[in-house]
């Protein structure tokens, strides 16, 4: 139904987490057709990522806000597979690359604030994926913003973070 696209996206990520092993198996699919280029084949991951990024590039601002919440939810969900978290990170990088430096800066601030609040354990996949994503996103800042970001030291130190469960971190976003 219209208006529930974010729920479909969330369901897609849950299904991807359950079917990660089949996505990793060898097999190619015809890629999206690009004008004046012959059709090529791509792996399943690239096909799904391209399909989702194509959709995300055409949504409204209000839909984008819902998509951003889904991306955060999936990253913070410890049941999300590594492949799913990688896809979410790739979508976030797509948004940052084709958005403005200000948008990228906002994503970095949001992820850093979540990282500060997420409860850490001996090994926390959400913290690991968010930390990697923050490092990746800094590459999409303008040169001036990148210098400022790095000089501010906005990336929190893992040993200085207060405890807050992943579920509470998601509630902070609502």
């Amino acid at each position: 139904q219209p208006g529930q696209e974010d729920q479909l996206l969330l369901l897609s990520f849950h299904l991807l987490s359950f079917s990660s092993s089949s996505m990793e198996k060898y097999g190619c699919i015809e890629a999206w057709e690009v004008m004046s280029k012959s059709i090529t084949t791509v792996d399943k991951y690239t096909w799904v990522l391209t399909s989702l990024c194509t959709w995300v590039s055409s949504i409204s601002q209000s839909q984008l806000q819902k998509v951003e919440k889904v991306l955060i939810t999936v990253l913070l969900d410890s049941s999300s597979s590594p492949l799913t978290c990688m896809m979410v990170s790739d979508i976030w990088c797509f948004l940052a690359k084709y958005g403005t430096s200000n948008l990228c800066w906002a994503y970095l601030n949001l992820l850093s604030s979540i990282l500060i609040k997420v409860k850490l354990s001996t090994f926390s996949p959400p913290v690991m994926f968010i930390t990697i994503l923050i490092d990746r996103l800094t590459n999409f800042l303008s040169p001036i913003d990148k210098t400022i970001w790095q000089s501010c030291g906005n990336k929190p130190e893992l040993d200085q973070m207060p405890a807050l469960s992943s579920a509470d971190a998601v509630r902070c976003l609502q």
Side-chain angles (χ1 to χ4, degrees), residues 105 108-109 111-113 115-116 134 145 148-157:
W105 186 278
L108 287 166
N109 279 321
L111 292 167
S112 292
S113 67
L115 196 57
I116 289 169
I134 287 171
D145 286 345
I148 295 169
W149 177 263
Q150 291 170 338
S151 70
C152 290
N154 285 327
K155 191 167 112 179
E157 295 299 323

Side-chain angles (χ1 to χ4, degrees), residues 10-134:
L10 184 59
L11 176 62
S12 299
F13 287 132
H14 286 305
L15 292 172
L16 180 61
S17 284
F18 291 117
S19 64
S20 290
S21 60
S22 67
M23 288 286 288
E24 295 169 0
K25 290 180 183 173
Y26 180 76
C28 292
I29 303 171
E30 284 189 357
W32 285 77
E33 186 174 346
V34 178
M35 288 179 25
S36 73
K37 293 188 177 184
S38 61
I39 296 177
T40 60
T41 56
V42 295
D43 61 274
K44 295 171 191 171
Y45 179 89
T46 302
W47 191 89
V48 172
L49 177 63
T50 304
S51 299
L52 291 174
C53 287
T54 299
W55 173 71
V56 167
S57 70
S58 67
I59 62 176
S60 69
Q61 181 64 31
S62 63
Q63 288 173 316
L64 178 60
Q65 291 171 348
K66 291 178 181 179
V67 166
E68 291 166 342
K69 286 182 181 181
V70 168
L71 297 176
I72 292 165
T73 300
V74 172
L75 273 181
L76 291 174
D77 184 353
S78 59
S79 70
S80 294
S81 72
L83 187 74
T84 302
C85 290
M86 186 171 81
M87 183 163 296
V88 165
S89 296
D90 287 345
I91 292 169
W92 232 315
C93 288
F94 170 82
L95 290 168
K97 180 176 182 174
Y98 293 103
T100 64
S101 185
N102 286 342
L103 178 65
C104 185
W105 186 278
Y107 288 156
L108 287 166
N109 279 321
L110 173 65
L111 292 167
S112 292
S113 67
I114 291 171
L115 196 57
I116 289 169
K117 295 174 184 171
V118 173
K119 182 179 180 177
L120 297 177
S121 60
T122 307
F123 176 74
S124 174
V127 168
M128 180 186 71
F129 282 108
I130 292 172
T131 302
I132 292 168
L133 179 56
I134 287 171

